[in-house]
Amino acid sequence: MILQLENVSKVVPAADGELVLLDDLSFTIEKGESIAIVGRSGSGKSTLLGLMAGLDHASSGSINFAGQRLESLDEEALALLRAKHVGFVFQSFQLLQSLTALENVMLPLELAGGAEAESQAKQWLEKVGLGHRIDHYPSKLSGGEQQRVAVARAFAAQPAVLFADEPTGSLDAATGEQVADLLFDLNREVGTTLVLVTHDQELADRCGRQIRIEAGQIVTEATA
Amino acid sequence: MNGWQWLRREWRGGRSGDLSILAVALAMSVAIVAGIGLFAERLERALDAQAATYLAGDLAVNSGKSLPDNLITAAQSRGLKTSQTIQFPTMAYPVSDDTNGILVSIKAVSSDYPLRGELEYKPGFEPPLTNYGLLASGTALVDQTYLDRAQLSVGDSIYVGELVVKVVGIIDREPDGGFSLFSLGPRVMISMVDVYSTMALRPGSRLSYAQQYAGDEAAISDFATWLEAEVNEDDVSIRTLEQGQPQLARTLARAKQFLLLCGALGVAMAGVALALAGRRYSRYLLDAVAVKKTLGATPKRITRLLVEKLAALWLLSTAAGLLIALVVQAGISALISAWLETELPAPTLLGAWLGILTSLISMVAFLGPPIYQLRAVPPLRVIRRELGGTGSLLSASVIGISAFSLLLVLYTETPWVIVGLLGALVLGGGVAWLLAIILFSGKRRLVQASSPWRLAMSSLARHRWLTVGQIVAFALTLSLLASAVLVRSSLIGDWQASIPEDAPNHFFTNVAPYQVDNINHTFDYENIDDSGLYAMVRGRIALINGEDAKARAEQNGYRHISRELNLSYASELPRDNELVVGSWWEPDTDQLLVSVEESVATRMNLKLADTITFDIGGTQVKVMVANIRTLDWDDLRPAFFMLLSPPALENFGASWMTSAYVPEERTDFIPAFLREFATVTVIDVGYIIEQVRQVINQVSRAVELVLGLVAVSAILVLLATVRSSQDWRLRESAVLRALGASKKRLLGALLIEFGFLGFAAGILGAAMAEGAAAVIQTQQFDLPMAWHWPMWIILPIGSALVVALFGLLTSKQVVQVAPNDILREVN
């Protein structure tokens, strides 16, 4: 078990009282598993991803990540946990525009203090098929290429868990499929746990397990 | 990874625009302050040195009586060097022709004279001029005038009283010669050791004793304090460096104030540019920090990276700024060193420190708040973009304005500039706020159609607060720049007006009463513009309204007036004098009246109809105050604190004087005049005028150079302001283009948008500049207030054109690049 949620809720203040984003969720994710969290826009799946990845605190309940209770960790400790165990791929890529493809991939390696950041980053860019564009800035890359840089960046630090938030959401069908292939291939190769948030059923079907969320609650949980 | 690497990568990776503005703004604040500081400090020290040459020492005393012996001892015990001079009028006769006597002004000088400055002379005789000190016993240096008049040449001997001296050289200029209107006749300079041999130091002789002192600043200051307590200032006047050459000193003091003001304005603009570029840069950093946090950077690490990055930016900019400062101050120094007789002292680090301090304050105050907020950006921003912000504009403004005030206090040392500028700023902000509410309240009507005009207005209205912010930033910059230009113009205008082309360049003194008519006739005939001849009678104020005047003067802290004064009389108000209170007397009045100069009247608390009793050589003359007038001390015309009606003074034996402008090409006039009026003393002050005029020209150029730097800061603000709205402007334009708007329409809309911003800022800026300039001119520089109507036309139109051009240039991507690329880039 790498990740365990027990009675996790997220409530935010709203104009007319409180808004419940997530309501009493409990489930467990095993090491090496690939899991899709699916649901419509606004169902709470991105909020859930934020909580699991330690980007935000739950209002109540407990999240156990690699043996650590996230609710007991402060910002400093959460950041260290992310540096050590977590990789991300976002719908909007989240590449730093002022850094080249290579520098973007080097970033997590440098933050983790790796000595071989540059050569490792180059290897990862080769793996995603961008070895010839390492010195290009994000604005000069296509959407698919940017997402491939993001995938390389996510795997570069060899995280225990890789969170992907609508990784193909900004891409056309063909490009989306290429990126998805890359994601699953690398996941298999490295043995990372993959937590994927999507409303794309085809993408979800490629995962070992699916959790469907509606209005902040788990409605179904199915294994492929 | 460290902050330095981060900075380098950002620089290469397309953030160079914002980073350049930040770096250049920081560098400019260092360059302006350090450049001006380094220069001002060097200038001040050079002026002191210059003034010292006019005193022939760092401090001098003179008196009509023999000076106490203990002064020299006291000065020497403080490690000061000393010299002494005695001046008196006597007759000099050529040894070859003892009937050809001429009244000369003897100056006996001790061997160390002059302690500061140089006595310039043409030596024309062997053996060497001196065997010890300046003048050997039995030798003399004389004016060319004397040789001309006595028809002698170098090498001839003359009788000075009972003493025979040989003329060994011709004096070109003596440091403390200045131009005393009472030097009766041409100069003959002899050695102090010979002074008693002249047998001319008799009781009743008109003697002027002086001592000069020179040494280090602390010792001089200590000695000056001791002197003030020791001597009776009625008998002994103490002359300090500040009094060395008042006209130059005042010109330069104002120039220095102006340079410091420019420094403050330049720094304020650099601050505005920093704040604007800093906000935009920190908005970009929001995402960068959120991504880094997501990737595992701890808040501590983020803080460290940011601090390292800013420190690197600051160090680089400050180093560049200091380099620019050295070049700037060297440039200004080169401009003005031509007229300084002394070398400019080498720059010290003080000015540089002030620059470094300024850039540090600017960075912390203007860049600190938005960057500080970044520590708190939540990593969740990568998913929810609405999280995290650059902090409140209000608190950033408060910090910025406080820092701005602090910087102003540092440079201008007077509160008036701060009052003027802050007042203008608050006023401008308020007006802009009102403008936003009024102008954009009808936005619903405006957003519908798609003409360029409406597109532009709707865009401004949608971003109403940003628009207001931009207008205020532009207006502030324009007003700062305009204030500097306005004050500069007034200042230079005032300087130049103080010395007109035809300012008198010769003084004619020692005119006997019987010569007055002839001289007037000569001036008329030769077409020489003179200031009118005035009698000079020495007199002391004895009583005011029947009470002891000395006590009254001391009570008012104005003891000088109780010494002997030059009195004169006139039937008409002299040229350049203006009546403040009362009226001028009838030309043929038989009343005993006096016209008093305004500052004396104020200090002595004199009012119309008060009576003043003068003691003139033992005779008392009682007159009534008929009017109070102002006069211009700078115009090189005879000027009198007390001018009496003719019946009050006519009967006293007087010597007369005047000044006149003798055109340079009339080289024959003065020799011919002297042949005709041999006893009149003519003093050429042309070189003094020329020197002051040169100083004014050079300092004006220095002022303009500094203004250039301020203009660079203004351009920075313009760039930063246009860039601050560039992202949304590009995005919105790209959307409009995607929806089918033509290039022409978009460019038209951009042109109108920026043109409107510039125009509104121009009007507001003109109002703010007018207000600020009014306060600064009247309170800081003592210049009259003036209304600058051309600015109200030039500023709005010029600013509309420049801002529109700048805006179009920086936004040309909109029509040059595919909309999709823009959307991808700005997203």
Side-chain angles (χ1 to χ4, degrees):
Chain A
M1 182 267 293
I2 182 92
L3 197 60
Q4 184 179 35
L5 283 77
E6 286 175 67
N7 311 109
V8 170
S9 294
K10 180 71 181 174
V11 181
V12 291
D16 48 351
E18 287 185 328
L19 181 64
V20 180
L21 297 177
L22 294 174
D23 186 9
D24 199 24
L25 305 188
S26 300
F27 60 91
T28 303
I29 297 173
E30 297 300 330
K31 213 170 174 183
E33 196 181 3
S34 65
I35 182 166
I37 296 169
V38 291
R40 283 200 293 269
S41 283
S43 58
K45 48 190 195 302
S46 289
T47 307
L48 178 59
L49 179 131
L51 293 182
M52 288 192 290
L55 296 176
D56 197 7
H57 283 286
S59 306
S60 62
S62 169
I63 301 173
N64 185 320
F65 189 123
Q68 291 187 348
R69 292 202 168 275
L70 297 190
E71 61 275 12
S72 64
L73 301 181
D74 63 7
E75 271 303 319
E76 201 74 13
L78 282 173
L80 288 173
L81 178 116
R82 286 196 298 272
K84 203 168 166 192
H85 298 298
V86 179
F88 286 101
V89 177
F90 300 101
Q91 179 178 5
S92 53
F93 322 137
Q94 295 292 1
L95 298 179
L96 295 187
Q97 297 295 317
S98 58
L99 302 187
T100 61
L102 179 66
E103 287 164 349
N104 264 291
V105 179
M106 282 164 66
L107 196 57
L109 296 166
E110 287 178 336
L111 286 171
E116 306 274 306
E118 189 172 338
S119 60
Q120 285 182 31
K122 275 183 184 160
Q123 282 172 22
W124 280 101
L125 281 167
E126 292 284 350
K127 276 190 184 170
V128 300
L130 289 175
H132 59 299
R133 308 203 65 176
I134 57 173
D135 288 329
H136 288 234
Y137 286 98
S139 61
K140 303 293 170 212
L141 300 173
S142 71
E145 286 169 331
Q146 288 191 55
Q147 196 60 307
R148 273 147 70 191
V149 175
V151 168
R153 182 176 70 180
F155 280 104
Q158 298 184 311
V161 184
L162 193 148
F163 291 96
D165 184 16
E166 303 280 12
T168 59
S170 298
L171 306 172
D172 62 66
T175 315
E177 202 169 320
Q178 285 169 10
V179 168
D181 287 347
L182 186 65
L183 199 58
F184 282 102
D185 290 348
L186 289 175
N187 187 46
R188 261 194 302 280
E189 191 182 316
V190 182
T192 314
T193 308
L194 178 65
V195 179
L196 195 144
V197 165
T198 183
H199 62 266
D200 176 353
Q201 194 53 51
E202 264 184 52
L203 189 62
D205 288 343
R206 296 176 69 166
C207 293
R209 185 153 66 110
Q210 290 184 26
I211 293 175
R212 179 168 296 277
I213 293 185
E214 267 174 36
Q217 290 182 320
I218 298 176
V219 286
T220 57
E221 202 177 332
T223 310
Chain B
M1 183 192 199
N2 57 35
W4 169 237
Q5 285 170 326
W6 191 3
L7 190 68
R8 259 181 38 214
R9 286 177 186 171
E10 278 179 2
W11 186 274
R12 278 189 288 108
R15 298 318 296 184
S16 56
D18 291 322
L19 284 173
S20 318
I21 293 180
L22 291 177
V24 177
L26 279 172
M28 283 319 290
S29 54
V30 180
I32 292 173
V33 172
I36 293 172
L38 286 171
F39 167 69
E41 195 221 344
R42 287 181 74 184
L43 181 64
E44 199 161 289
R45 287 192 290 146
L47 278 179
D48 278 356
Q50 174 102 338
T53 72
Y54 284 89
L55 291 184
D58 296 329
L59 183 72
V61 293
N62 52 352
S63 170
K65 296 177 186 166
S66 169
L67 288 161
D69 295 335
N70 62 341
L71 298 191
I72 293 277
T73 335
Q76 285 171 345
S77 72
R78 287 171 172 81
L80 297 174
K81 288 195 290 180
T82 62
S83 65
Q84 300 176 67
T85 61
I86 302 177
Q87 289 188 64
F88 56 93
T90 192
M91 295 299 281
Y93 303 88
V95 170
S96 55
D97 175 11
D98 62 5
T99 57
N100 187 13
I102 290 174
L103 184 69
V104 295
S105 173
I106 300 291
K107 184 171 186 175
V109 300
S110 65
S111 57
D112 288 335
Y113 171 88
L115 297 176
R116 296 276 189 252
E118 243 179 284
L119 177 73
E120 292 174 26
Y121 55 84
K122 291 186 202 83
F125 197 70
E126 293 294 332
L129 189 61
T130 57
N131 43 18
Y132 80 97
L134 175 69
L135 274 170
S137 174
T139 62
L141 293 168
V142 300
D143 273 355
Q144 181 69 48
T145 320
Y146 175 73
L147 292 182
D148 289 349
R149 220 185 275 174
Q151 295 178 326
L152 293 174
S153 49
V154 171
D156 290 337
S157 293
I158 53 173
Y159 282 111
V160 175
E162 303 292 315
L163 173 76
V164 176
V165 287
K166 184 181 271 181
V167 175
V168 292
I170 301 165
I171 299 170
D172 278 339
R173 194 187 296 180
E174 52 177 286
D176 55 343
F179 59 101
S180 163
L181 301 182
F182 314 108
S183 42
L184 298 169
R187 170 73 78 224
V188 171
M189 190 177 283
I190 60 171
S191 169
M192 187 65 93
V193 295
D194 290 339
V195 72
Y196 294 99
S197 316
T198 63
M199 308 295 278
L201 306 188
R202 290 187 300 269
S205 313
R206 202 171 157 138
L207 295 161
S208 170
Y209 294 85
Q211 286 179 6
Q212 299 82 28
Y213 315 97
D216 71 59
E217 221 177 303
I220 284 287
S221 154
D222 176 49
F223 183 59
T225 316
W226 178 84
L227 262 182
E228 275 166 29
E230 179 69 14
V231 301
N232 176 355
E233 282 191 59
D234 284 347
D235 298 327
V236 179
S237 66
I238 301 174
R239 297 172 69 209
T240 59
L241 292 185
E242 288 76 50
Q243 300 157 346
Q245 212 187 15
Q247 192 171 24
L248 262 190
R250 216 185 56 185
T251 302
L252 290 165
R254 277 184 174 179
K256 189 184 149 197
Q257 274 185 340
F258 179 79
L259 291 178
L260 291 178
L261 173 70
C262 274
L265 298 183
V267 170
M269 283 190 224
V272 174
L274 263 183
L276 287 168
R279 263 189 105 68
R280 183 180 141 95
Y281 178 59
S282 65
R283 271 203 306 277
Y284 149 75
L285 282 182
L286 276 178
D287 287 332
V289 168
V291 169
K292 282 195 167 68
K293 281 190 168 179
T294 308
L295 295 177
T298 63
K300 253 189 213 157
R301 178 121 191 226
I302 293 286
T303 309
R304 206 187 74 207
L305 282 172
L306 288 171
V307 169
E308 283 174 0
K309 190 153 101 160
L310 289 188
L313 184 70
W314 180 73
L315 276 175
L316 281 178
S317 314
T318 303
L322 284 176
L323 265 180
I324 300 172
L326 277 176
V327 174
V328 166
Q329 69 88 24
I332 304 180
S333 304
L335 270 180
I336 65 149
S337 60
W339 55 264
L340 281 173
E341 285 174 8
T342 44
E343 284 280 300
L344 269 179
T348 65
L349 282 177
L350 188 76
W353 279 118
L354 202 57
I356 293 169
L357 181 70
T358 303
S359 74
L360 194 63
I361 293 176
S362 299
M363 192 182 72
V364 172
F366 296 112
L367 203 51
I371 299 286
Y372 180 77
Q373 299 287 338
L374 290 171
R375 290 166 50 259
V377 173
L380 199 60
R381 185 181 159 86
V382 292
I383 300 174
R384 292 173 50 199
R385 287 193 56 79
E386 74 279 11
L387 294 175
T390 46
S392 138
L393 195 60
L394 185 71
S395 60
S397 309
V398 169
I399 295 174
I401 290 177
S402 313
F404 174 45
S405 312
L406 178 70
L407 290 173
L408 283 180
V409 174
L410 268 179
Y411 305 128
T412 58
E413 295 161 6
T414 94
W416 285 111
V417 173
I418 307 168
V419 170
L421 293 177
L422 287 184
L425 180 64
V426 170
L427 181 87
V431 172
W433 181 69
L434 277 178
L435 193 80
I437 290 178
I438 297 164
L439 259 181
F440 303 130
S441 59
K443 64 175 182 175
R444 282 180 198 290
R445 270 183 291 115
L446 290 167
V447 287
Q448 291 157 5
S450 59
S451 75
W453 181 254
R454 292 197 176 177
L455 278 177
M457 283 301 141
S458 67
S459 163
L460 289 173
R462 268 198 310 283
H463 304 279
R464 147 178 1 187
W465 295 115
L466 185 62
T467 304
V468 173
Q470 287 186 320
I471 291 177
V472 172
F474 276 144
L476 178 63
T477 308
L478 287 173
S479 68
L480 292 175
L481 193 58
S483 315
V485 173
L486 291 183
V487 175
R488 169 203 152 270
S489 308
S490 306
L491 205 55
I492 292 177
D494 185 60
W495 286 337
Q496 281 168 350
S498 71
I499 302 201
E501 278 300 310
D502 57 354
N505 54 6
H506 286 80
F507 272 86
F508 301 79
T509 66
N510 203 26
V511 174
Y514 68 87
Q515 292 173 314
V516 170
D517 287 344
N518 281 341
I519 287 179
N520 269 329
H521 178 74
T522 305
F523 283 146
D524 285 348
Y525 183 76
E526 295 282 344
N527 212 8
I528 295 292
D529 180 22
D530 73 307
S531 314
L533 278 150
Y534 288 89
M536 280 201 303
V537 178
R538 302 280 287 176
R540 195 186 283 267
I541 302 178
L543 306 170
I544 293 174
N545 293 335
E547 289 169 18
D548 181 29
K550 194 173 169 187
R552 183 172 175 139
E554 271 174 14
Q555 196 183 331
N556 292 313
Y558 192 46
R559 290 197 287 177
H560 305 280
I561 206 76
S562 60
R563 294 194 201 128
E564 257 196 346
L565 294 173
N566 287 310
L567 309 174
S568 189
Y569 63 89
S571 51
E572 281 169 15
L573 180 66
R575 206 191 318 187
D576 298 337
N577 284 211
E578 276 176 40
L579 285 182
V580 183
V581 193
S583 56
W584 194 255
W585 45 75
E586 294 295 319
D588 53 356
T589 182
D590 54 3
Q591 287 181 286
L592 306 185
L593 302 169
V594 63
S595 168
V596 185
E597 193 270 335
E598 192 185 22
S599 69
V600 174
T602 310
R603 292 195 193 185
M604 299 287 287
N605 197 20
L606 288 169
K607 294 180 294 296
L608 293 186
D610 280 352
T611 60
I612 302 177
T613 307
F614 290 101
D615 179 339
I616 302 168
T619 310
Q620 296 216 325
V621 178
K622 187 174 172 184
V623 294
M624 189 176 76
V625 177
N627 60 60
I628 291 168
R629 78 205 135 82
T630 59
L631 53 79
D632 188 351
W633 291 108
D634 293 340
D635 71 356
L636 300 168
R637 296 183 193 284
F640 299 92
F641 284 125
M642 299 284 176
L643 208 48
L644 283 69
S645 61
L649 277 191
E650 258 169 353
N651 296 328
F652 290 91
S655 115
W656 293 63
M657 69 161 301
T658 187
S659 65
Y661 171 65
V662 181
E664 221 170 295
E665 62 276 14
R666 301 283 304 271
T667 46
D668 57 326
F669 178 77
I670 297 293
F673 182 93
L674 284 172
R675 275 195 298 277
E676 197 176 340
F677 305 102
T679 55
V680 173
T681 303
V682 178
I683 302 158
D684 182 355
V685 293
Y687 77 92
I688 297 181
I689 298 174
E690 195 42 45
Q691 191 187 32
V692 173
R693 201 172 271 149
Q694 267 186 31
V695 171
I696 287 171
N697 286 341
Q698 312 287 15
V699 171
S700 301
R701 257 187 266 166
V703 160
E704 269 151 18
L705 187 71
V706 169
L707 212 54
L709 284 183
V710 176
V712 171
S713 298
I715 291 172
L716 272 183
V717 175
L718 191 64
L719 267 173
T721 316
V722 169
R723 282 183 73 89
S724 71
S725 61
Q726 199 180 20
D727 288 348
W728 63 258
R729 222 178 277 283
L730 283 177
R731 192 166 51 237
E732 291 187 3
S733 299
V735 170
L736 284 169
R737 240 184 114 199
L739 293 175
S742 67
K743 284 184 184 182
K744 197 174 142 195
R745 175 166 299 171
L746 279 180
L747 283 179
L750 282 174
L751 195 68
I752 292 165
E753 243 183 280
F754 283 115
F756 174 82
L757 279 177
F759 188 76
I763 292 179
L764 192 61
M768 288 159 76
E770 195 76 77
V775 176
I776 296 169
Q777 258 176 265
T778 54
Q779 304 301 323
Q780 175 100 22
F781 293 105
D782 291 330
L783 296 171
M785 198 178 141
W787 178 255
H788 310 92
W789 64 264
M791 177 179 73
W792 289 85
I793 300 167
I794 295 168
L795 219 52
I797 295 178
S799 141
L801 289 175
V802 171
V803 175
L805 190 71
F806 250 84
L808 275 190
L809 283 177
T810 51
S811 308
K812 62 178 189 285
Q813 275 174 288
V814 173
V815 290
Q816 285 178 342
V817 186
N820 202 30
D821 288 348
I822 293 175
L823 286 172
R824 191 194 304 159
E825 195 162 329
V826 295
N827 282 331

